[in-house]
Amino acid sequence: MEFPALTRTMFVRYAGASGDFNPMHHDDTIATQVGNPSVFGHGMLTMGLAGRLLKDWFGAEGIRRFQVRFSKQVWPGDVLTAKAVVSAVREEGGETLADVDLVVTSDKGSEAVRGAATCVVA
Amino acid sequence: MALTELKGKALGSQRVVIERGPVRVFAQALLDEDAVYDDAAAPVPPTFPFVMSYWGSMGQGGAAGLPIENLRGKGRAILHGEQEFIYHGGRWPHVGDTLVGEGVIADVYEKAKSDGGKLEFYVTDTTWTIEGETAPAVTTRFTLAINCKPDAAEAKPLS
């Protein structure tokens, strides 16, 4: 799943929707003072985008576990792509569960998040 | 040393009412126009439980409860290292539910880096139970990572 290029407006919108007003995500003056080229995206925005892929595959209530490690920051202009691969399907407690590996990469070549999920197969 | 004495520290509880508008606005911020999030009893988006604590009694989000001033210092870069959601298989939280979250510092550990520095990790679990139910619905696991240069200052001891 490919997402539209990141914009500052998207970061501001996520800040407002989440309540996370760390200025590194919306104030270029403060972000550049500490050595960043510009503001950068919330890690949880990237994780949320990856969650959309899981929701599309397994439904709005289909996730049992969803874990990521934040690797590299994401920047305005980056085009993110979320990819997921089902690594195993297993029976547990009378349910069919899928283990999923996922990664979100930027078109600039860096890996934003890498993670794993367990989801219920409908 | 990482402040390992924090391990097991209870962070108290918070109570959050899931409201319709914020759930829809959160989904829209993730570019998700799925009609399921317009419903008066919409399910929360999968990562929504992370942001609930920004509205609850702690009011500070993921790092709330950690003694952040003790963790700052020269050569110490504080990062959101990892995030995990564990949905326990009971009812999924929906708009209209009230959730009570209990926080605990679940783990504190460190790892050496090959450059002579180290990484410190502080793991906070918040376990959310829908009011009126007994089993928890979801646990959010927030991992703060501190990337320490070889000459970094140590964490300031707790007073």
Side-chain angles (χ1 to χ4, degrees), chain B residues 41-147:
Chain B
V44 299
T47 61
F48 188 81
F50 177 78
V51 311
M52 295 191 302
S53 54
Y54 283 87
W55 307 340
S57 54
M58 292 181 186
Q60 297 170 54
L66 290 171
I68 201 79
E69 290 309 320
N70 294 66
L71 301 178
R72 293 189 203 280
K74 178 177 164 289
R76 299 170 59 82
I78 297 180
L79 310 162
H80 188 176
E82 297 181 31
Q83 183 66 38
E84 182 170 0
F85 298 87
I86 301 148
Y87 285 89
H88 296 285
R91 201 162 70 79
W92 188 277
H94 286 73
V95 169
D97 288 334
T98 298
L99 275 78
V100 176
E102 295 281 345
V104 64
I105 300 177
D107 202 2
V108 178
Y109 60 97
E110 61 181 47
K111 288 181 187 169
K113 291 196 300 174
S114 56
D115 68 358
K118 65 176 178 175
L119 286 161
E120 295 180 5
F121 296 93
Y122 297 83
V123 183
T124 301
D125 281 358
T126 307
T127 296
W128 298 92
T129 303
I130 299 170
E131 218 165 62
E133 307 215 349
T134 48
V138 57
T139 297
T140 58
R141 178 167 292 160
F142 170 85
T143 301
L144 190 84
I146 306 181
N147 190 355

Side-chain angles (χ1 to χ4, degrees), chain A residues 3-4 10 13-21 43-49 51-52 54-56 59-71 73 95, chain B residues 22 25-34 36-37 43-48 50-52 54-55 80-92 94 111:
Chain A
F3 300 98
M10 286 165 64
R13 197 170 190 183
Y14 186 81
S18 68
D20 183 350
F21 285 98
M44 290 304 295
L45 169 58
T46 304
M47 187 179 192
L49 294 174
R52 274 191 57 195
L54 297 175
K55 186 211 70 176
D56 282 4
E61 304 182 23
I63 294 175
R64 286 299 163 79
R65 192 180 77 83
F66 178 22
Q67 172 269 329
V68 301
R69 179 175 294 179
F70 300 104
S71 316
Q73 289 147 307
E95 291 183 314
Chain B
V25 166
F26 185 81
Q28 288 171 340
L30 299 177
L31 316 176
D32 193 340
E33 300 290 342
D34 192 329
V36 72
Y37 297 121
V44 299
T47 61
F48 188 81
F50 177 78
V51 311
M52 295 191 302
Y54 283 87
W55 307 340
H80 188 176
E82 297 181 31
Q83 183 66 38
E84 182 170 0
F85 298 87
I86 301 148
Y87 285 89
H88 296 285
R91 201 162 70 79
W92 188 277
H94 286 73
K111 288 181 187 169

Side-chain angles (χ1 to χ4, degrees), chain A residues 5-84:
Chain A
L6 295 173
T7 64
R8 287 170 174 77
T9 302
M10 286 165 64
F11 301 165
V12 168
R13 197 170 190 183
Y14 186 81
S18 68
D20 183 350
F21 285 98
N22 181 337
M24 293 300 149
H25 305 305
H26 64 261
D27 189 328
D28 272 312
T29 305
I30 293 177
T32 53
Q33 270 171 5
V34 295
N36 296 296
S38 70
V39 295
F40 55 91
H42 303 73
M44 290 304 295
L45 169 58
T46 304
M47 187 179 192
L49 294 174
R52 274 191 57 195
L53 179 57
L54 297 175
K55 186 211 70 176
D56 282 4
W57 283 12
F58 299 101
E61 304 182 23
I63 294 175
R64 286 299 163 79
R65 192 180 77 83
F66 178 22
Q67 172 269 329
V68 301
R69 179 175 294 179
F70 300 104
S71 316
K72 291 276 189 276
Q73 289 147 307
V74 296
W75 307 94
D78 284 2
V79 175
L80 301 184
T81 301
K83 286 183 184 160

